[in-house]
Amino acid sequence: KQEVTQIPAALSVPEGENLVLNCSFTDSAIYNLQWFRQDPGKGLTSLLLIQSSQREQTSGRLNASLDKSSGRSTLYIAASQPGDSATYLCAVASGAGSYQLTFGKGTKLSVIP
Amino acid sequence: DAGVIQSPRHEVTEMGQEVTLRCKPISGHNSLFWYRQTMMRGLELLIYFNNNVPIDDSGMPEDRFSAKMPNASFSTLKIQPSEPRDSAVYFCASSLAIGQANTGELFFGEGSRLTVL
C-alpha cells in the first residue's frame, strides 16, 4: 500500500526566502506525482504534475523535482511571498490496474511579511 | 470553464438523517473521484468512477455510504443514516484518465462541509 509522508507539518519563513517542501513515498511504481495548494476553507488547486518519466517541472517561482528511485519529491518556492501562505499537499498516482491518488497530510506554510 | 461544481457547500444535519452530496465534473473529463478530508486522517479516497462506472470503492467506509454516477455530468454521494463521525469535508474531483495524451491531472471542487450533530 502506497504511503506518502510530508515533512515538516508546518513551516514559517520570512518574506523573500527561498524554501523547500519535502515529500516521500514508499512505492516507486508511480504514474505521476502532483503538488497541490489548499487555502483555508477551499478546495485543492493543482500546482505542478510530474510524470513518472520526468525529473522536474517548473511553473513561475515553483519548481518540483522527482526522484523515483529514492521515493522523494521536493517543491522549491523561490522568493516567497505572503500570498504563498497555504497548505501544500503532495499526491502520488499509483496502483496496479487503476489510478489511485494517495495524499500526504500536507505542509502548512506561513510566509511572514 | 466552470470547474468542478459541488453542492451544497455546507450541510448541517442531525444524526440518522440522509445526506446527499452532488457533483458536476468538468465537461469532457471521464474520471471522477470522491474524497473525504478530516484533520485526523487527511484526504482519503472514497470511490472513483471511470466512464461512469465505479472502478474502486474500497475506500467507502461502510454500507451507509453509496455513490452513483448516472451520466457523465453528474454524481452523488449519499450517506444514510448519517452519524457524527461522518462530519468532514467531502471533495469531488475529475480528470481525464491517464493515457498517452493525458497526464491525469486532477481538478478539485470547493468541497461540501458536512456537520452531523
Side-chain angles (χ1 to χ4, degrees), chain B residues 18-38:
Chain B
E18 178 179 296
V19 173
T20 299
L21 307 178
R22 298 172 178 79
C23 175
K24 176 178 167 52
I26 291 173
S27 177
H29 282 186
N30 55 2
S31 293
L32 183 140
F33 305 78
W34 282 101
Y35 284 88
R36 177 171 67 177
Q37 187 177 41
T38 61

Side-chain angles (χ1 to χ4, degrees), chain A residues 31-32 34 36 38 41-49 51 89 93 97-105, chain B residues 9 33 35 37 39-43 45 48 55-56 58 91 95 98 102-106 108-110 113:
Chain A
Y31 296 110
N32 63 47
Q34 279 187 251
F36 293 88
Q38 186 174 28
K42 299 289 188 180
L44 281 70
T45 301
S46 178
L47 297 174
L48 289 165
L49 181 149
Q51 298 192 62
L89 294 104
S98 67
Y99 170 39
Q100 296 188 8
L101 208 62
T102 304
F103 281 83
K105 293 196 173 180
Chain B
R9 290 295 313 278
F33 305 78
Y35 284 88
Q37 187 177 41
M39 289 291 292
M40 287 293 292
R41 300 170 70 94
L43 267 163
L45 176 65
Y48 108 85
I55 302 300
D56 185 350
S58 59
F91 286 104
S95 74
I98 291 177
N102 304 323
T103 63
E105 186 176 7
L106 208 58
F108 278 76
E110 293 283 280
R113 181 175 294 275

Side-chain angles (χ1 to χ4, degrees), chain B residues 33-113:
Chain B
F33 305 78
W34 282 101
Y35 284 88
R36 177 171 67 177
Q37 187 177 41
T38 61
M39 289 291 292
M40 287 293 292
R41 300 170 70 94
L43 267 163
E44 302 173 281
L45 176 65
L46 299 177
I47 185 171
Y48 108 85
F49 295 84
N50 197 40
N51 293 322
N52 312 339
V53 176
I55 302 300
D56 185 350
D57 65 355
S58 59
M60 296 286 262
E62 47 197 277
D63 291 345
R64 298 184 297 106
F65 286 69
S66 63
K68 293 183 180 179
M69 192 164 185
N71 57 61
S73 59
F74 184 65
S75 177
T76 59
L77 177 68
K78 185 177 292 186
I79 308 172
Q80 166 63 18
S82 58
E83 296 183 3
R85 60 194 167 115
D86 301 331
S87 297
V89 181
Y90 291 81
F91 286 104
C92 177
S94 72
S95 74
L96 286 167
I98 291 177
Q100 280 191 323
N102 304 323
T103 63
E105 186 176 7
L106 208 58
F107 295 86
F108 278 76
E110 293 283 280
S112 294
R113 181 175 294 275

